[in-house]
Amino acid sequence: MKKIIIVTGASSGIGLEFARQLAPRKDCSGRLMDELWLVARRADRLTNLAVCLERDNPGLVVKPVAADLGGRTGGVLLSGLLTKAAADGGAFVDTLVNNAGFGTYGRFDTTDLTRQLDEIDLNVTSLTAVTGAVLPYMGRGSRIINTASLAAFSSMGGFAVYAASKAYVLNFSLALAAELECSGIAVIALCPGSVDTEFADVASEGLRKKVLHGKSPALVVKHCLKLLEKGKKIAIMALKWRIKAFLPRFFSRYFTAKVTMFTEKRPSRADAQH
């Protein structure tokens, strides 16, 4: 039976780091996993990463899967791939990392609606569909890592859809952790603040290339995996992030949305045109 690790959004940033740090993972007998599946849209990046990971981890088969996971597509895709793997000697998913997602800066009413709906499709629908497709191939000892965000703890003006979508990821992950505990399947929600990735470039449509004081994705992933081994359900690395996650408990969600709209301004092409 093949033991498989699956990482979505693996072509850059946090997803790429999960792929790097999970590639050397071994089972209880000291054997490397059989396969690492890297799923993302950019085929060239996935192929280059696969070559590097196979070179550094002899015996591991790294499979690049170039695909757009939006909506229910990702669940259908992975269900088909796992069905095929199961028919070819069996398949057991050791770790699933749901990292694919993106954000959009700007007011809801001035930002392209299709883009925001695509954001929900990827951040919420796809994550749910992928999890549902993979779960039948998991069992005792399996792990699910869902990338949420520090934004999951607040309603955020100028970041409304993203914060709401990540609140779903956080709450879904915690409920799933409770439901799967007796099955021996661990679930953790990764809730980072600003990380040095391409996120801001995409969210701002090129207006902000990098966030200020972004943390290292390698450190964020290392911390998450460490907490996962300890049985924790939420991973928030930096002290200032933990404080920001805690503070909204003392204020109304509306108040938090108003404050963040003015104190955490993010550049948006749509807002600039209005």
Side-chain angles (χ1 to χ4, degrees):
M1 178 178 290
K2 292 177 182 176
K3 293 185 177 180
I4 302 167
I5 295 172
I6 301 172
V7 181
T8 72
S11 61
S12 65
I14 289 174
L16 185 149
E17 276 302 326
F18 269 119
R20 284 176 175 164
Q21 295 188 35
L22 287 171
R25 176 170 167 77
K26 297 177 181 178
D27 61 19
C28 56
S29 66
R31 243 181 93 240
L32 280 174
M33 296 294 120
D34 295 295
E35 295 184 358
L36 170 59
W37 295 2
L38 307 176
V39 190
R41 290 180 296 110
R42 293 175 286 194
D44 55 339
R45 291 196 181 192
L46 293 182
T47 300
N48 292 337
L49 179 58
V51 170
C52 293
L53 293 179
E54 286 188 338
R55 179 196 63 209
D56 296 339
N57 302 276
L60 177 68
V61 175
V62 182
K63 290 190 173 184
V65 181
D68 185 341
L69 300 180
R72 302 183 184 186
T73 304
V76 173
L77 172 67
L78 285 170
S79 179
L81 292 174
L82 286 167
T83 298
K84 184 177 179 181
D88 187 24
F92 176 83
V93 177
D94 173 84
T95 305
L96 166 65
V97 180
N98 276 311
N99 179 72
F102 73 95
T104 305
Y105 293 162
R107 289 169 48 117
F108 176 76
D109 61 341
T110 59
T111 303
D112 180 65
L113 181 59
T114 298
R115 180 173 171 82
Q116 293 183 95
L117 292 174
D118 287 344
E119 189 177 340
I120 295 170
D121 276 347
L122 186 58
N123 295 3
V124 176
T125 305
S126 176
L127 179 142
T128 308
V130 167
T131 303
V134 174
L135 260 176
Y137 299 90
M138 305 184 95
R140 190 161 296 277
S142 293
R143 301 102 55 83
I144 298 173
I145 302 167
N146 290 331
T147 299
S149 169
L150 189 58
F153 295 92
S154 305
S155 299
M156 300 185 72
F159 215 21
V161 170
Y162 182 76
S165 71
K166 291 304 183 176
Y168 172 88
V169 175
L170 174 59
N171 285 285
F172 173 67
S173 300
L174 292 174
L176 201 60
E179 292 178 359
L180 298 178
E181 188 172 23
C182 291
S183 302
I185 300 174
V187 183
I188 191 169
L190 171 60
C191 299
S194 297
V195 182
D196 188 12
T197 68
E198 298 175 356
F199 180 89
D201 189 24
V202 174
S204 69
E205 298 182 271
L207 292 179
R208 176 179 288 174
K209 293 300 181 182
K210 287 192 175 184
V211 294
L212 294 174
H213 313 300
K215 300 293 184 183
S216 160
L219 293 179
V220 170
V221 168
K222 182 179 179 180
H223 177 261
C224 179
L225 294 176
K226 182 178 179 180
L227 292 192
L228 178 61
E229 292 295 334
K230 292 182 177 180
K232 303 296 184 181
K233 305 299 183 284
I234 301 176
I236 308 175
M237 185 185 74
L239 176 60
K240 67 177 182 180
W241 294 352
R242 294 197 289 272
I243 292 172
K244 288 187 74 172
F246 183 74
L247 283 177
R249 300 182 187 190
F250 299 100
F251 306 100
S252 73
R253 294 180 185 275
Y254 173 75
F255 177 79
T256 305
K258 287 286 285 186
V259 169
T260 55
M261 185 166 63
F262 293 107
T263 62
E264 299 185 14
K265 285 188 174 293
R266 297 171 174 84
S268 162
R269 291 191 183 280
D271 286 353
Q273 294 168 1
H274 286 76

